[in-house]
Each structure stands twice: as C-alpha cells, then as structure tokens.
Amino acid sequence: MFYLIGLGLGDLKDITVKGLEIVKQCSRVYLEMYTSILGCSLEDMQEFYGRPLLLADRDLVEQGADEILSGAGESDVALLVVGDPFGATTHTDFILRAKEKNIPYKVIHNASIMNAVGCCGLQLYKFGETVSIPYWDETWKPDSFYDKIKLNRLHNMHTLCLLDIKVKEPTPESLMRKRKEYMPPRFMSVAEAAHQLLAIVEKKDSLEKNTVLNEQSLCVGLARVGQESQQIAVGTLLEMRSTDMGGPLHSLIIPAKEMHPLEVEFLQQYAASIKLDDYNH
C-alpha cells in the first residue's frame, strides 16, 4: 500500500492518530520538505515517530516517483507531506502513477494553509482564486498573479497569496556546467511580496489604482500559521513593505473591498495603526 500522509502546519504532533499509526508500520517512510517546511527538525521527527525518515528532495519527488513507489505493491510505503497532501499539484501525480501501476493507495488528510488561513477572521467562503507570488530576478519579473488578484477584487473576494519557497535550487552556473550546486534556501517574506506588488501597482494608471489596488489597500500578513509563534499583522500594502514578521513561512492576504462586520471586528485587533471601518467600502 502507498500512503500519502499530511502532517499539518505546526509541529511533529500535528500528525493525525491514523497517520502516526501508519508511519510506525511502514517499511519505508519518505519526508517531502521542498513544497513547505515544518516547525521542527528532522531529528525531532524521527525520535517522535520512532523510526528513520528518508528525505525526498525536489529531484526525487518530481523525477524519482517510481523509486518512491517501488515495492509499495508488496509492502507499506509512505510519503509525508507538510500541510495536506493535495495542497501541491506535485503530489497528485503520485496517485496517478500508483493507479497506473495498480498499487493500492490511501490519503490521510490534515490541515493546510488553505483552510487555516481563517485564523485571521476572514471567512473562507469569501476567498477567490489563490495565487502564488514568485521571486523576481534581474531578467524574470512575472506579474500574471496580479490579474488574478484584480479579478478577485472586482468580484469582492479575498485573495490568498502563497509566497515563494526556494529549497535546493541549483545555481544558474551549475546548470551550465551540468554539475549541480545549490543556492541557500530562501523563503519569501510578506515584506518582499508587498515590495513586488507595489512595483506592479506603480505601473498601473490612476483609474486602476483607485479601483483595484494601491499603496493604501488593506493587507493581512500571516507568519508561521499553526505554530506557537504564529503572527498576524494588518496594515496597508505600503506598510507591509516594511513589516518584519520573523522567520518563515509567510502568506499575504488581499481582503475584499467590502467585508462582513465580524471580519472587520476580528481583523481590528491586529491593526494597531488604522481604523478598519475606513477601509470597508
């Protein structure tokens, strides 16, 4: 049997009872930690689970799925995923490959940022399409995510922005030499995301700035959701550019232009410098 097991968001104890029982019985257990990270060390996880874990990096997950699935038809093999197994499309491919190989499988769900985002008080059913904000570099500055934020705003819906993670990314130079060397891990902060959004907004005309997004638009910053050090900050897009929310992982929310009174009341506790009633129009 192949098991795809969600670990939740906070720490090693967020795994479900069912998930933990399966981990203890498997012949091999892989830990995928490139689409997200958990707030604890590999050593602590292995001690808590009472077994060794095999690290599955990006290359193994995206190119070595057959290796992970090998033997799952005869014994139990598990892939552990931070959050929920279907929070990243990469993991869907494992299920398709298992079905092609006639390998039985089970999915053990858990909390992910997609539902835990409700911790800020914004109602989940009012969220529109989720967007991903990638790191820019000198030659690559994609901004297609802005159009999705714009569409959500026009339909009076909140936007959850998932911020880029760079783990075990090969350097451009090493790719040219065909010998992989890796850049240090990078995790986009709320401030970096706000900086890129402001750069996009600056290019827009005055009409769009008045109707869609501008430096005074309300934003919600989230850091380390589900962990003891969870942090929530509310401010303008301009203020978010200089907001330090500590270590990863961060997410950014662009709320709808009109919010429910309960949403406003809940958010106000995190907005020290502004009165949210002024933004709810």
Side-chain angles (χ1 to χ4, degrees):
M1 179 78 74
F2 173 65
Y3 293 96
L4 199 51
I5 302 175
L7 298 179
L9 293 170
D11 58 32
L12 47 82
K13 293 184 179 179
D14 283 350
I15 190 172
T16 64
V17 174
K18 181 187 292 185
L20 183 58
E21 290 175 345
I22 293 169
V23 166
K24 290 180 178 295
Q25 76 185 29
C26 285
S27 60
R28 300 196 319 275
V29 179
Y30 293 87
L31 173 63
E32 188 272 276
M33 291 189 73
Y34 89 87
T35 57
S36 189
I37 59 172
L38 206 60
C40 57
S41 69
L42 174 63
E43 291 74 18
D44 288 341
M45 295 179 74
Q46 291 182 138
E47 182 179 355
F48 182 73
Y49 297 154
R51 60 162 308 126
L53 302 176
L54 302 170
L55 282 181
D57 61 16
R58 182 170 194 155
D59 289 342
L60 182 57
V61 171
E62 294 187 348
Q63 301 172 28
D66 290 342
E67 177 183 335
I68 293 176
L69 291 171
S70 175
E74 296 76 40
S75 60
D76 291 335
V77 176
L79 176 63
L80 309 183
V81 177
V82 178
D84 185 81
F86 292 135
T89 54
T90 301
H91 307 130
T92 307
D93 184 57
F94 276 90
I95 301 304
L96 295 175
R97 287 173 179 263
K99 293 186 73 172
E100 287 176 0
K101 297 174 181 294
N102 293 317
I103 296 173
Y105 67 88
K106 284 187 179 179
V107 178
I108 311 300
H109 293 283
N110 211 317
S112 78
I113 190 62
M114 301 296 287
N115 61 329
V117 69
C119 66
C120 69
L122 294 176
Q123 297 167 359
L124 291 179
Y125 61 83
K126 289 186 63 179
F127 277 81
E129 183 175 356
T130 299
V131 307
S132 296
I133 300 183
Y135 271 117
W136 286 352
D137 59 33
E138 293 181 359
T139 60
W140 191 66
K141 291 182 169 58
D143 61 3
S144 58
F145 56 87
Y146 172 84
D147 293 327
K148 296 178 181 179
I149 295 173
K150 176 181 177 179
L151 192 61
N152 285 342
R153 293 275 285 177
L154 292 175
H155 287 88
N156 199 42
M157 304 174 91
H158 310 312
T159 304
L160 170 60
C161 304
L162 303 178
L163 309 187
D164 203 2
I165 297 174
K166 298 289 188 185
V167 177
K168 206 173 182 182
E169 290 282 330
T171 63
E173 295 80 12
S174 70
L175 291 174
M176 294 175 65
R177 292 195 299 264
K178 296 184 179 180
R179 187 187 64 180
K180 287 189 177 179
E181 296 175 355
Y182 299 100
M183 296 183 287
R186 297 173 67 198
F187 304 94
M188 182 179 284
S189 67
V190 163
E192 289 172 313
H195 178 80
Q196 290 186 186
L197 273 171
L198 284 167
I200 296 171
V201 167
E202 189 61 32
K203 300 176 184 178
K204 304 300 178 182
D205 59 37
S206 58
L207 176 61
E208 185 149 330
K209 287 181 181 179
N210 288 331
T211 58
V212 181
L213 203 64
N214 57 54
E215 62 182 22
Q216 294 303 312
S217 295
L218 190 68
C219 296
V220 181
L222 304 177
R224 301 171 302 283
V225 172
Q227 299 180 26
E228 291 295 326
S229 61
Q230 174 177 301
Q231 188 176 347
I232 301 173
V234 176
T236 66
L237 183 57
L238 184 62
E239 289 172 335
M240 284 295 169
R241 186 172 63 179
S242 58
T243 298
D244 182 2
M245 300 192 69
L249 293 171
H250 292 190
S251 301
L252 181 68
I253 303 171
I254 313 295
K257 296 183 71 174
E258 296 180 6
M259 294 181 287
H260 189 279
L262 288 177
E263 293 179 305
V264 174
E265 182 180 355
F266 201 97
L267 282 179
Q268 185 64 68
Q269 64 186 309
Y270 305 111
S273 62
I274 55 178
K275 184 173 173 56
L276 294 188
D277 285 337
D278 298 336
Y279 287 83
N280 199 30
H281 55 74

